[in-house]
Amino acid sequence: MVGVVRTCVQSILKLVNSVIGMVGLAMIMYSLWLIRSWQRNMGHLSFDHSHHHPIPWFIYTILGLGITLCVITCSGHIAADTANGCCLYSYMVFVFLLLMLEAGVAADIFLNHDWEEDFPDDPTGRFDQFKKFVRSNFDICKWIGLSIVCVQGLSLLLAMILKALGPHQYYDSDDEYVPERVPLLKNAVLPPPYVIGDPVYGSKNDAWNIRINDKATR
């Protein structure tokens, strides 16, 4: 029964973890599109981090978050497949730190009225466009953000349940056996028991009688 529950939790964790990976891939693709647009506007193929061209921190932030989500997704799939305690602990730490980062940013935005001053100027202008898009579609963006946070929280909960269930049990010793195989062992034909010890010899009278009988038959 525990094995069935463990398998179900592993499958659900992989499915939920895949949603996080898709969000990471979407952020990477969006950041690559922003990089291409930035390069087209600047008129060259590489970033020039000089005084005339500031660093496009917004693009780098989106790209870094996307890569981080993909790394977390890979670690989550490994942890869900192996059910190893160390892998599950690492995955839970990554997801917990990500949730704390998101909670800190959300608290700064909702509690600090001057939160825009905490971010540097974006030379690409994409950050201002992103803010306008979020404000014009606040309800949709709010539910998308809450859904992503719920998925991350669910993945953390499933990892904790899988850690409590423990890894798969493998029995390599002859003294240990799998309980599910007991009925098969009951139906098997076992060899008769034997005892190892010193040989038992008959008495001298028995040996004498055997010799007399042999001579009489001759």
Side-chain angles (χ1 to χ4, degrees), residues 28 63-73 98:
I28 292 176
L63 180 61
L65 288 176
I67 295 175
T68 302
L69 290 178
C70 290
V71 172
I72 293 176
T73 301
L98 182 62

Side-chain angles (χ1 to χ4, degrees), residues 7-29:
T7 303
C8 293
V9 173
Q10 286 177 314
S11 300
I12 298 173
L13 180 56
K14 289 180 181 180
L15 180 62
V16 173
N17 197 46
S18 299
V19 177
I20 300 177
M22 288 188 290
V23 174
L25 290 176
M27 296 180 70
I28 292 176
M29 294 176 63

Side-chain angles (χ1 to χ4, degrees), residues 184-193:
L184 297 178
L185 294 178
K186 290 182 179 179
N187 298 327
V189 178
L190 299 178

Side-chain angles (χ1 to χ4, degrees), residues 51-99:
H51 297 288
H52 300 286
H53 304 289
I55 298 175
W57 64 269
F58 180 70
I59 299 177
Y60 284 157
T61 302
I62 298 297
L63 180 61
L65 288 176
I67 295 175
T68 302
L69 290 178
C70 290
V71 172
I72 293 176
T73 301
C74 293
S75 63
H77 272 73
I78 295 173
D81 188 63
T82 60
N84 183 268
C86 182
C87 295
L88 288 172
Y89 275 129
S90 301
Y91 176 69
M92 288 188 288
V93 169
F94 289 153
V95 176
F96 179 76
L97 292 177
L98 182 62
L99 287 173

